[in-house]
Amino acid sequence: MITADQIQALINHGRTALASTETVEQFEQLRDHYFGRKQGELVKILRSIQHLDNVEHKRQLGALANNAKQELQQLFSAWQNQHHHASTTLVPDVTLPGIWPTVGHVHPLRQLQEELVDIFYAMGFMVMEGNELENELYCFEYLNIPPHHPARDLQDTFYVSGDDQGVKRVLRTHTSNMQVRLMQQYTPPLRAVVPGRAFRNEAIDASHEHTFYQMEGFVVDENISLGNLTYFLKTAMSRVLQSDVQVRLRPGYFPYVEPGFEADCSCTHCAGQGCAVCKYTGWVEMLGCGLIHPTVFASAGYEPGKYTGFAFGMGLMRLAMLKYNIDDIRLFMGGDFRFIDQF
Ligand code: PHE
């Protein structure tokens, strides 16, 4: 019958044997001797404990055997750690195929953003990224959206604790926050684009994300008209979508423009004939735009009536979805290389 002394002896033997073990072969033999699944010493002991009749005996010896197992495992892994370097003197097989280093690349949204920025830069626009953490004034008030105006409900806002000199802080809900900031800094004529992230408390689905990419663009000068707006939109869209795009304006409400529009592009997938991408209308909704509201100029401190201008704000994700025929917005931020590596 197995005894506590025998179990202790097993540990002692293991320790002595390991101390004089030098090669990996010896080590592996010893390991099989103790831990072998069928004939290993530990298995034998556990098996004979299982067959004991005396329950109390069984419990005590079982605990001892488990301790012994743990102790031996520690001794064996200590040996391995100590001899690791010495034991890995394997000669490399130079005929095996090499491991390709993973080379990253620019994210498709960033690629698109850079492409758009280049297009506008070439047309004389300056480029500013601007604040993501904003205060309510620049995000709303200065843009003609007063605190209790229902228009605030159009954008579900993330408020951030703390304040900016007494004004509540928010994550910008649109890149329009940079309109007045830039107008305050520069005197017209002014042409600017603001690419960057914006944040809204959205319920996420195939076409809504809480963090999304926009590009704002605006021009302030004397005698700016809707003709100028459509020219720039048509030119930029045609360049980025690499086809001769038509632009159509539909009335749309944004408190900081008057008149305000939703602009659609003719569908590049079916050349306006009607397909799944454009939901068989021939047009794809692209952006919000309009002529800058006098209140916005007043917020910037411009002389009343002196300047006119247009502004537009487009969703880069939506544009990317149209350009690359992607049907789920969540793919952009999903981190799945099978998607990302296609670009
Ligand atoms: N800020 C608007 C949005 O996020 C877009 C817009 C920008 C509309 C500029 C008009 C003028 O939806």
Side-chain angles (χ1 to χ4, degrees), residues 143 155 173-177 179 198 200 212 214-218 253-257 260-262 287-292 310-315:
L143 295 174
Q155 302 178 347
T173 54
H174 50 184
T175 43
S176 308
N177 70 318
Q179 286 190 18
R200 283 181 211 173
F212 50 96
Q214 285 195 329
M215 197 169 89
E216 191 84 2
F218 56 95
Y253 177 62
F254 304 95
Y256 31 98
V257 284
F261 303 96
E262 308 265 2
L287 46 82
C289 59
L291 293 185
I292 298 173
F310 67 74
F312 61 85
M314 66 175 96

Side-chain angles (χ1 to χ4, degrees), residues 6-16 67-68 71-72 75:
Q6 277 174 315
I7 297 178
Q8 188 54 47
L10 192 73
I11 303 176
N12 295 342
H13 284 153
R15 186 178 286 119
T16 329
N67 285 344
E71 199 158 324
L72 281 166
L75 288 170

